[in-house]
Amino acid sequence: MSEHGQYQQLERLTFFSDAVFAIAITLLIIEVHVPHPESRTDQAWLQALVDLIPQLAGFFLSFIVVGALWAAHHRVFGLLRRYDPSIVWPNLFLLMAIAFTPFSTALMSAHPVERVPEIFYATSLLIAGLLQYRLIRKALRAPYLDPSVDAETVAMLRRRSLAMPCMAVLAGVLAFWWPGRSNLPLLLTPLAVMLFARMRSRRPTAAP
């Protein structure tokens, strides 16, 4: 395949992925329905808005999570210089998990203090995080990677992609005892990503 063909195929894959992320992240707010209180008093409207807090919290939480997944996907695909047919299906499986997020978010938001919906939500994010980790490991390799990208950058990006699965596991474990509050670790995902990125790979010291 020519260099132009390589770029065109990679561009199509990137644009399709961005579209799925954009649709999924838009559908999150569609699940937050406009209230229609029977009474039109100020108190009734305020109560109706208070009742929306779980749905709004689910929207903001999932927006942050899906946004973090998209940012990592965007960063990785920006480092590729050749099209790799073997990443098409791993990428599709990740997009399937992303497209599923509005449903798991709606279920969790409708039952914010119940154990099973909280664990279900955390599990869906865990699957998405693991699928992204698999995609990143498969994509960031020669000869498809930009030659200017060094090995430490690749290792850093792989470490960063582990932050989401770790936060999802923590949220799922906490859901057994504190459903509702168990989502707090997920809010710290951007911070966890930065911490994982700053870690350094341990390399054996050469013998004198």
Side-chain angles (χ1 to χ4, degrees):
M1 187 182 295
S2 67
E3 184 175 346
H4 175 71
Q6 291 276 349
Y7 176 77
Q8 189 177 46
Q9 290 289 76
L10 184 59
E11 190 177 52
R12 289 185 63 190
L13 186 61
T14 303
F15 285 167
F16 176 73
S17 301
D18 286 346
V20 173
F21 273 99
I23 292 170
I25 214 167
T26 301
L27 289 175
L28 293 174
I29 193 60
I30 292 179
E31 293 295 334
V32 182
H33 303 291
V34 175
H36 299 284
E38 294 182 4
S39 172
R40 294 297 188 264
T41 63
D42 292 345
Q43 183 178 0
W45 275 110
L46 289 173
Q47 183 59 49
L49 291 174
V50 169
D51 293 339
L52 279 180
I53 288 178
Q55 285 75 27
L56 291 172
F59 163 73
F60 287 118
L61 174 61
S62 290
F63 193 100
I64 291 172
V65 170
V66 175
L69 289 169
W70 173 83
H73 189 279
H74 176 73
R75 184 178 295 106
V76 168
F77 271 61
L79 299 178
L80 301 181
R81 288 298 173 265
R82 292 185 60 188
Y83 171 70
D84 180 4
S86 70
I87 69 172
V88 172
W89 279 104
N91 189 63
L92 281 174
F93 284 128
L94 169 62
L95 296 180
M96 179 175 63
I98 296 300
F100 187 77
T101 304
F103 171 75
S104 61
T105 302
L107 179 66
M108 178 271 294
S109 300
H111 308 279
V113 293
E114 296 181 29
R115 185 176 294 110
V116 172
E118 290 285 337
I119 295 175
F120 184 85
Y121 178 69
T123 302
S124 70
L125 297 184
L126 171 61
I127 292 171
L130 291 175
L131 288 172
Q132 183 174 69
Y133 177 72
R134 177 172 177 259
L135 173 63
I136 289 174
R137 286 191 61 88
K138 199 166 187 65
L140 296 182
R141 59 191 175 91
Y144 309 102
L145 187 64
D146 190 315
S148 65
V149 180
D150 57 31
E152 178 54 35
T153 299
V154 172
M156 180 270 292
L157 290 171
R158 289 176 177 175
R159 290 194 303 271
R160 286 170 62 103
S161 65
L162 288 173
M164 172 63 67
C166 289
M167 293 297 101
V169 168
L170 181 57
V173 171
L174 291 176
F176 279 97
W177 293 279
W178 299 291
R181 300 178 183 179
S182 59
N183 288 327
L184 292 177
L186 295 172
L187 289 173
L188 301 177
T189 298
L191 178 60
V193 168
M194 290 188 293
L195 292 176
F196 275 59
R198 292 183 179 182
M199 293 178 182
R200 290 291 182 268
S201 300
R202 293 184 177 180
R203 297 179 180 177
T205 304

